[in-house]
Every structure is written in structure tokens, then in C-alpha cells.
Amino acid sequence: MDGKFQGWQLMSREAGKFAAPRLRFPEFSNAGNWQEKNFQDLFEIGSGKDYKHLNVGDIPVYGSGGYMLSVDYYLHEGESACIGRKGTIDNPIFLTGKFWTVDTLFYTHSFKGCLPKYIFYIFQRIEWRKHNEAGGIPSLSKEIINKIKTFVPPKIEEQKKITDCLCSIDELITAQNDKVAALKAHKRGILQQLFPQEGEAIPRLRFPEFAKDGDWSLYTLGEISSYENGKAHEQDITDDGKYIVANSKFISTDGEVRKFTNTPFLVANQNDILMVLSDVPNGRAIARCYYVERNDYITINQRICRIIAEEVESYFLFYVLNRNPYFLKYDDGVKQTNLSKGDVLNCPVFVPASKDEQRKIVGTLSSIDSLILAETEKAASLVAHKRGLLQQLFPVLQREFQGGD
């Protein structure tokens, strides 16, 4: 990319020993190089405190993982870029108004020559785990944070222009994520309507051409499918293996998080349904299912089972089984959930007699899944665009550019 791009001006990486950004708004192209500063020159760091002596109220309390509860008093008022002190140290939070933070979350205040939102976006560029000073639970200290260097433009107006730009992208990302969430909620509603509810033998929403086909038939899963447990692959993981290892992380992320192996102990076939059998209390992986689209690319790990549909359309059965409430009842919220073969095969399944009706249901749900996928990809594209701007709207420290800490 060269020249101007949508209001940006391309700057030389050599300018001022990396003291100018790669992309700069034209009105600031002659505003001079940015100044290198330590964080301690730009703001002060406040420590969170215990809130248990406070009463319930309307002041939000935050930890490193986000919002916790609300109390009747505040620790700080104003705009603040926050970063985890312990635990989740790589997820900056921006707070405004009155708030309270607990001991696991630092907040910033008393800004000098910089905008709080500008610091928030600087925080998003930092690889915080490189500054971790603990061998166990990740931890940061004020001393470490204060010594981190960054660049600041000479004019506060340039900071404002940058933050306004990035805020507008954040708003687009939020709107896109809301659209995805709305589609997922719509799908959940359709799923409840297209399948019989507990105590019922027909769905509440049925396609007109099947309205006179009568009740759906009730089976156990074992009567309409076969079952096989996966095998342990942990000792055979490699970076560039031929086969994807279908473990709980792979299935619960819809195939995004992957491990590989060249030693397939149980290869999945096209139309197999893979299900997670173990999860932590209140986990979101238990009974998550994955539909195998083709042969010879997935091998099935332990604590994952494969189900082969025999008397029913495979994709129809996938939609029935995925996070089926029958399986979720095994999660007591206290101990790890472990589904046995018997638990799985005893799952009750209502099936319409006509495979045409099964296929019609699959087609409806698949079309919603396609919409969700398309909108999810748009959200990912916006996130990638923002990531690129974060790299180019700020100067790169020379040691950062060379790969140093």
C-alpha cells in the first residue's frame, strides 16, 4: 500500500527512528515526531481494594475478568484504562464514571499529556504476558508497568483523532457481534419450536406439508445409532500432522482450536457425529457436537465419542444431540461431568417418520447456520482490520520492531 488511503497518509518507518506511525492523518503529517515516554510519565496506577464491607448499590465492581457486582460506594471516578494485576493480565478494560476495582485489577488515573482512551488503545497493543513476573498465575506489578515505554504524539488533537477512529471501529464490531448474537438467539428459538418439547410428541412449529403425518416416534439413541469411544492421542501430538485431533477444545470452538497428529487411532468418517463426554462444572463443552463433513482428516481423542446414525438422517440427529438438555442434566455444577456410554445411548430421541421432514428441518437450521457463519466472518474481518490499524497508527519501538522485549 502506498500514497493516501481513506484519509491516511503513509509515513516512512525510518522517520525519527520509528518515532512516527506508519499511517498518519494528513493534517498531522508535519506535526513532528512522536515522543518516547515511560508509562510512569503519563499516568499513575491505582490498586483495587476489597469491597466486602460495602452494601449493595449501583456502583459497578470490576476484577480482571470484568464486571462482578454492584456496591454503594466508589473507589474512583473518571475515565480509566485498566489492566489485570493477577490472573487475566492481557484483557484491558476501559471504565468511565464511578467504579470500584478489586485487588486483581489495576486502574489508571492522573493522566499527564495523554487521553485515557488513548492509553487504553496502547494497552491493547502490548503483549502483556511478556511482562509476566510470576511462574504460576500470571501477574503484573506497578514497577513493571511504569517502566514500559510507548510513543505519544506532540498534539493532543492527534490522540483524539486516533481514538475516535478506533472507537468507531469498536462500535462497528459491537454492532456486528450483536447481530451474530441475535441470529444465535433466533436459532435457539427455532430449535425449541421445530422439535417436540418435554412431554410432547410433535413440534409446536411444523411445516404444512407434514401437518397430517402424525406424532413423531420416540427412540433411545442406542436404537437408531452406533457408538464408539475415542482413543488417547496426547503422546502423539505434532505441529504439522496430517490429522486433526478432535478433542473437547476442537469441538467446543467449532473446529477453530486445533492439534495435529500423524498417528490416527480412530479416524472419523463423513457424517459421523462427535460428542464431548467430559467437562468442568458448569462448562460449555459437555455434549457439544461436531459434524464430520468428509473422510480421512480427523482422528477422535479420548473422552470424545462418535455416533453413527443408522435409522435417521445424520444431520438431523446432530441437531437433536448438540447440547441436548438430557445431557446437560448430568452437570450438577459441583463436580466434573463425565458422560458414560450408557448415559449417551439412553438419550431419548423423537424422530418424524418421513425423512423428507427431517431434511426440511435440517435445511432450515442449516440456512440459519450459514447466516451466522457469514456474519461471524464479518465480525472477524472487522477485528482483523482493527488489529492492523493498531499496528500502523502507532510508532514501533526499535527493539519491538527487531523482536526484542
Side-chain angles (χ1 to χ4, degrees):
M1 181 171 59
D2 55 10
K4 294 182 180 179
F5 176 70
Q6 294 185 347
W8 310 109
Q9 182 162 326
L10 189 67
M11 306 298 291
S12 169
R13 267 197 191 277
E14 301 300 326
K17 295 184 178 179
F18 312 113
R22 180 71 167 153
L23 288 176
R24 200 168 189 181
F25 292 97
E27 60 266 41
F28 302 106
S29 59
N30 296 317
N33 287 335
W34 293 25
Q35 298 175 338
E36 184 176 308
K37 302 268 191 179
N38 291 323
F39 278 162
Q40 65 185 2
D41 300 323
L42 299 173
F43 54 79
E44 295 181 20
I45 302 171
S47 298
K49 297 181 180 179
D50 186 16
Y51 63 89
K52 294 189 175 98
H53 61 289
L54 302 173
N55 299 314
V56 175
D58 57 3
I59 305 298
V61 177
Y62 293 88
S64 61
Y67 172 79
M68 298 171 60
L69 73 166
S70 294
V71 294
D72 63 345
Y73 197 71
Y74 62 93
L75 181 63
H76 183 72
E77 182 177 7
E79 294 187 334
S80 179
C82 304
I83 193 66
R85 182 191 70 83
K86 191 172 185 179
T88 304
I89 64 170
D90 53 1
N91 183 36
I93 301 172
F94 189 75
L95 301 180
T96 62
K98 297 176 179 178
F99 62 85
W100 191 285
T101 68
V102 299
D103 185 49
T104 59
L105 185 66
F106 287 129
Y107 66 93
T108 55
H109 62 94
S110 303
F111 296 89
K112 292 161 281 189
C114 63
L115 299 172
K117 185 59 76 76
Y118 179 83
I119 295 301
F120 172 63
Y121 285 117
I122 289 290
F123 277 8
Q124 292 185 35
R125 299 184 70 249
I126 295 172
E127 295 184 52
W128 288 102
R129 289 187 176 271
K130 286 187 176 181
H131 301 283
N132 173 36
E133 53 184 16
I137 299 174
S139 299
L140 297 171
S141 69
K142 290 184 181 181
E143 291 73 22
I144 289 292
I145 297 173
N146 278 330
K147 293 177 182 177
I148 295 175
K149 295 181 181 296
T150 190
F151 281 106
V152 180
K155 293 186 176 182
I156 203 79
E157 292 81 6
E158 188 167 5
Q159 293 184 39
K160 182 69 165 55
K161 187 89 172 184
I162 292 168
T163 58
D164 286 349
C165 169
L166 293 171
C167 279
S168 68
I169 296 175
D170 280 341
E171 290 172 0
L172 289 173
I173 292 171
T174 297
Q176 189 62 35
N177 287 334
D178 288 346
K179 186 182 293 187
V180 172
L183 282 169
K184 288 181 177 179
H186 174 62
K187 178 185 173 183
R188 287 193 296 270
I190 292 293
L191 278 167
Q192 291 176 351
Q193 298 288 319
L194 286 178
F195 295 92
Q197 299 302 297
E198 188 172 354
E200 301 174 0
I202 57 172
R204 297 177 183 179
L205 179 63
R206 200 167 191 183
F207 297 103
E209 60 266 41
F210 307 108
K212 298 180 181 180
D213 281 8
D215 291 354
W216 290 21
S217 299
L218 177 62
Y219 302 92
T220 65
L221 182 59
E223 292 176 310
I224 57 173
S225 69
S226 60
Y227 172 105
E228 192 168 3
N229 279 319
K231 315 294 181 184
H233 288 77
E234 281 77 5
Q235 303 304 315
D236 299 277
I237 300 298
T238 183
D239 291 335
D240 56 355
K242 175 183 176 183
Y243 295 90
I244 298 169
V245 178
N247 55 20
S248 61
K249 185 69 73 173
F250 171 80
I251 293 175
S252 63
T253 61
D254 293 323
E256 291 184 10
V257 178
R258 301 181 174 188
K259 291 185 177 180
F260 299 89
T261 186
N262 285 312
T263 312
F265 295 120
L266 182 61
V267 177
N269 297 315
Q270 185 177 17
N271 302 325
D272 284 354
I273 302 165
L274 311 183
M275 178 188 288
V276 177
L277 299 174
S278 295
D279 197 12
V280 297
N282 299 314
R284 297 187 178 183
I286 192 69
R288 279 289 298 268
C289 295
Y290 185 87
Y291 192 82
V292 181
E293 300 282 357
R294 55 187 174 86
N295 292 320
D296 202 36
Y297 78 107
I298 287 177
T299 182
I300 307 167
N301 202 43
Q302 64 179 348
R303 304 311 303 157
I304 307 295
C305 71
R306 78 157 156 196
I307 296 164
I308 303 172
E310 295 177 343
E311 303 295 333
V312 63
E313 289 290 309
S314 294
Y315 229 128
F316 175 86
L317 188 58
F318 164 78
Y319 282 118
V320 171
L321 297 180
N322 189 32
R323 294 285 283 178
N324 189 296
Y326 164 84
F327 298 120
L328 302 186
K329 290 178 181 178
Y330 285 88
D331 182 358
D332 62 7
V334 178
K335 60 184 182 298
Q336 178 168 308
T337 306
N338 295 295
L339 297 173
S340 69
K341 178 178 180 180
D343 296 333
V344 174
L345 293 180
N346 282 327
C347 177
V349 179
F350 276 99
V351 181
S354 169
K355 286 198 173 183
D356 286 338
E357 186 171 6
Q358 296 176 35
R359 296 186 189 106
K360 186 90 173 186
I361 292 169
V362 168
T364 299
L365 294 172
S366 294
S367 66
I368 298 174
D369 281 340
S370 296
L371 284 174
I372 292 172
L373 178 60
E375 298 301 332
T376 300
E377 288 176 346
K378 289 179 184 177
S381 178
L382 285 169
V383 170
H385 177 57
K386 177 187 171 182
R387 190 181 302 119
L389 286 177
L390 281 169
Q391 291 174 350
Q392 303 220 56
L393 283 174
F394 300 90
V396 179
L397 291 167
Q398 187 168 6
R399 53 189 168 278
E400 179 185 352
F401 182 66
Q402 293 173 340
D405 292 335

